[in-house]
């Protein structure tokens, strides 16, 4: 089924639900939300019972994001209905069992294309794959189908901390699924005795990194992770009003649509209370979950495309993703591009909006903020706008052609 989550907390500056302690440096506060780019498609994979649906339900509680969700019909659906405030047109059915096995354009590709339509203004699309899905195959399909409409926004592989080594990774060569994962969530950590947790996580991390050194491995309880680590929220609503010719007042930003309040707030409060009660029952802190941290660097001029791309292909320690826009000298003026990076995957597109200068945001759970800021400032090496074409310009244009 295909749904849209449209959640905004308009009553306070503090996000509702599980994001109450998100740092003020959250990427949602970065002044880059006006730059449009293909919708990121986040693949949520994991063996049966690992906790994919718990992770999905937590992602849907992002207070200021419009998130499309595609789940396949294989198995029982268990998404909290109260988090779905409306649907994109009619639900799009994904049939045929495991979605990665669909070979025609009438299945997953059409569902993704429909949801990525600009009219829906989605911040991200999450595909919850079957426990039998092959992440590498699914990632390749999404990348091949994107064509400027959507892009691969990361592959999350959810691991059952208790059962993983008896089901998925039984020794020998590390599973191939590690190779494509950008983020590995070690879930159900509360079921591991406290004095064994660090060693258990280290064992999993070593196995993952022996196959994929660039994968991020973090632990979770009840699938709780800060959605800002994975995608951005929509701009906050403009609360100022304008006076019409008839003397009436109307929102200064008419494009923003109020969500279903206060019903949505009641659902959010209910889920927050439920989670806090469950965490209390296992003696875990109410806000015991991974937070996203970010660094934003802006410069007023054009930059060196070669240096930026080198930076995006090798992000600073602890960085999971980066986004931004760059203005690049072409020898005949400048050209603006939107750039994105998630793990080893780098994407670029021509900016559809008028932008001035260049800016990058780097986001990660274990981000070394000082190192990241220094590296980001170095990456935004300025060049004269009226000078010769920037080194790396053709490399950047090749990326654009590759994903368009």
């Amino acid at each position: 089924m295909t749904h849209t989550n449209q959640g905004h907390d308009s009553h306070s500056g503090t996000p509702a639900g599980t994001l109450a302690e998100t740092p003020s440096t959250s990427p949602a506060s970065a002044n880059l939300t006006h730059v449009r780019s293909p919708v990121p498609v986040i693949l949520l994979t994991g063996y049966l019972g690992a906790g994919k649906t718990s992770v999905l339900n937590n992602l849907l509680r992002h207070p200021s994001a419009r998130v499309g969700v595609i789940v396949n019909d294989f198995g029982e659906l268990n998404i909290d209905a109260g988090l779905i405030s409306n649907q994109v047109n009619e639900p799009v059915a994904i049939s045929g069992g495991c979605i990665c096995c669909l070979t025609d354009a009438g299945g997953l590709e059409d569902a993704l294309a429909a949801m990525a339509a600009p009219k829906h203004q989605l911040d991200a699309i999450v595909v919850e794959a079957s426990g039998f899905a092959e992440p590498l195959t699914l990632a390749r399909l999404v990348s091949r189908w994107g064509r400027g409409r959507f892009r691969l926004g990361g592959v999350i592989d959810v691991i059952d901390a208790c059962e993983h080594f008896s089901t998925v990774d039984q020794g020998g060569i590390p599973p191939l699924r590690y190779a494509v994962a950008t983020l590995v969530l070690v879930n159900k950590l509360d079921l591991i005795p406290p004095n064994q947790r660090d060693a258990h996580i280290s064992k999993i991390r070593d196995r993952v990194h022996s196959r994929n050194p660039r994968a991020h491995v973090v632990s979770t309880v009840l699938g709780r992770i800060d959605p800002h680590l994975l995608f951005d929220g929509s701009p906050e609503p403009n609360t100022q009003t304008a006076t019409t010719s008839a003397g009436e007042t109307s929102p200064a930003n008419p494009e923003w649509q109020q969500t279903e309040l206060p019903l949505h707030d009641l659902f959010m409060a209910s889920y927050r209370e439920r989670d806090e009660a469950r965490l209390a029952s296992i003696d875990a802190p109410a806000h015991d979950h991974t937070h996203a941290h970010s660094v934003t660097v802006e410069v007023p001029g054009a930059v060196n495309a070669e240096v930026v791309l080198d930076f995006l292909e090798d992000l600073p320690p602890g960085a999971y993703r980066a986004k931004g826009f760059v203005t690049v000298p072409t020898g005949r003026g400048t050209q603006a591009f939107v750039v994105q990076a998630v793990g080893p995957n780098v994407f670029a597109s021509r900016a559809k909006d008028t932008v001035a200068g260049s800016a990058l945001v780097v986001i990660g759970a274990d981000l070394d903020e000082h190192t990241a800021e220094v590296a980001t400032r170095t990456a935004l090496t300025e060049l004269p706008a009226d000078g010769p074409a920037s080194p790396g310009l053709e490399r950047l244009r090749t990326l654009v052609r590759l994903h368009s």
Side-chain angles (χ1 to χ4, degrees):
M1 295 294 181
T2 301
H3 305 280
T4 299
N5 172 64
Q6 181 182 356
H8 300 270
D9 180 7
S10 64
H11 296 302
S12 70
T14 301
T18 60
L19 297 181
E21 292 185 349
T22 300
S24 60
T25 56
S26 160
S29 65
N31 187 27
L32 297 173
T33 51
H34 68 287
V35 180
R36 292 174 292 171
S37 63
V39 180
V41 175
I42 299 166
L43 304 180
L44 183 57
T45 67
Y47 195 68
L48 296 171
K52 296 187 298 295
T53 301
S54 295
V55 173
L56 176 58
N57 282 331
N58 278 288
L59 294 181
L60 289 176
R61 295 171 206 176
H62 192 302
S64 60
R66 292 176 58 85
V67 181
V69 178
I70 297 176
V71 296
N72 53 345
D73 290 333
F74 192 95
E76 181 182 356
L77 304 184
N78 186 26
I79 297 177
D80 287 334
L83 298 176
I84 307 297
S85 60
N86 68 332
Q87 295 180 347
V88 176
N89 295 330
E90 295 298 321
V92 180
I94 303 296
S95 59
C98 178
I99 53 179
C100 73
C101 294
L102 294 174
T103 57
D104 64 331
L108 179 60
E109 181 181 7
D110 281 357
L112 289 171
M115 299 193 75
K119 64 181 180 180
H120 300 312
Q121 299 181 2
L122 295 186
D123 298 298
I125 300 171
V126 178
V127 178
E128 182 184 2
S130 159
F132 297 109
E134 172 51 56
L136 180 58
T137 302
L138 191 54
R140 285 174 173 169
L141 289 176
V142 172
S143 296
R144 189 176 75 220
W145 289 334
R147 296 197 298 274
R149 302 170 298 178
F150 49 85
R151 63 177 177 83
L152 184 63
V155 179
I156 305 173
D157 199 31
V158 186
I159 284 178
D160 184 330
C162 298
E163 304 295 334
H164 182 67
F165 287 114
S166 63
T167 55
V168 178
D169 185 357
Q170 299 181 26
I173 299 175
L176 183 61
R177 63 187 308 117
Y178 293 159
V180 71
T182 55
L183 179 65
V184 175
L185 300 184
V186 185
N187 194 33
K188 302 185 180 180
L189 197 64
D190 53 294
L191 301 181
I192 301 293
N195 62 341
Q196 300 177 21
R197 290 175 188 173
D198 288 346
H200 197 76
I201 293 173
S202 294
K203 182 179 178 181
I204 292 176
R205 182 178 289 108
D206 289 345
R207 293 288 289 172
V208 172
H209 285 169
S210 65
R211 171 72 82 167
N212 179 4
R214 300 186 65 175
H216 287 244
V217 181
V218 300
S219 58
T220 63
V221 174
L222 303 180
R224 292 159 58 85
I225 185 170
D226 189 341
H228 284 121
L229 185 64
L230 306 174
F231 53 81
D232 306 316
S234 301
E236 291 297 324
N238 188 335
T239 55
Q240 297 177 349
T241 57
T243 303
T244 66
S245 58
E248 300 175 346
T249 58
S250 62
N253 181 8
E255 294 183 358
W256 183 82
Q257 297 294 320
Q258 178 62 280
T259 189
E260 292 82 347
L261 297 175
L263 182 60
H264 180 267
D265 281 351
L266 293 174
F267 275 122
M268 294 291 281
S270 174
Y271 294 127
R272 181 172 64 251
E273 292 169 0
R274 182 190 66 182
D275 271 5
E276 289 178 352
R278 292 173 66 186
L279 289 166
S281 69
I282 58 176
D283 195 25
H287 299 290
D288 183 20
H289 63 283
T290 301
H291 285 301
H293 299 270
S294 70
V295 167
T296 302
V297 176
E298 301 179 59
V299 297
V303 296
N304 187 318
E306 187 84 13
V307 178
V308 170
L309 289 175
D310 286 346
F311 169 82
L312 293 174
E313 291 177 357
D314 188 15
L315 293 174
Y320 175 67
R321 67 183 179 101
K323 63 167 188 169
F325 56 87
V326 292
T327 302
V328 178
T330 66
R332 294 179 295 178
T334 60
Q335 189 169 8
F337 299 86
V338 177
V339 292
Q340 312 267 351
V342 179
N345 307 307
V346 179
F347 304 86
S349 60
R350 287 188 172 86
K352 299 178 182 179
D353 308 87
T354 301
V355 298
S358 304
L360 289 173
V361 179
V362 180
I363 304 154
D366 299 312
L367 190 65
D368 182 331
E369 295 183 27
H370 174 70
T371 301
E373 182 176 359
V374 172
T376 307
R377 290 193 182 280
T378 301
L380 293 178
T381 301
E382 293 190 75
L383 296 176
D386 56 356
S390 167
L393 176 60
E394 285 307 312
R395 182 177 159 198
L396 186 56
R397 287 173 170 170
T398 298
L399 270 179
V400 172
R401 290 191 293 269
L402 182 64
H403 298 111
S404 61

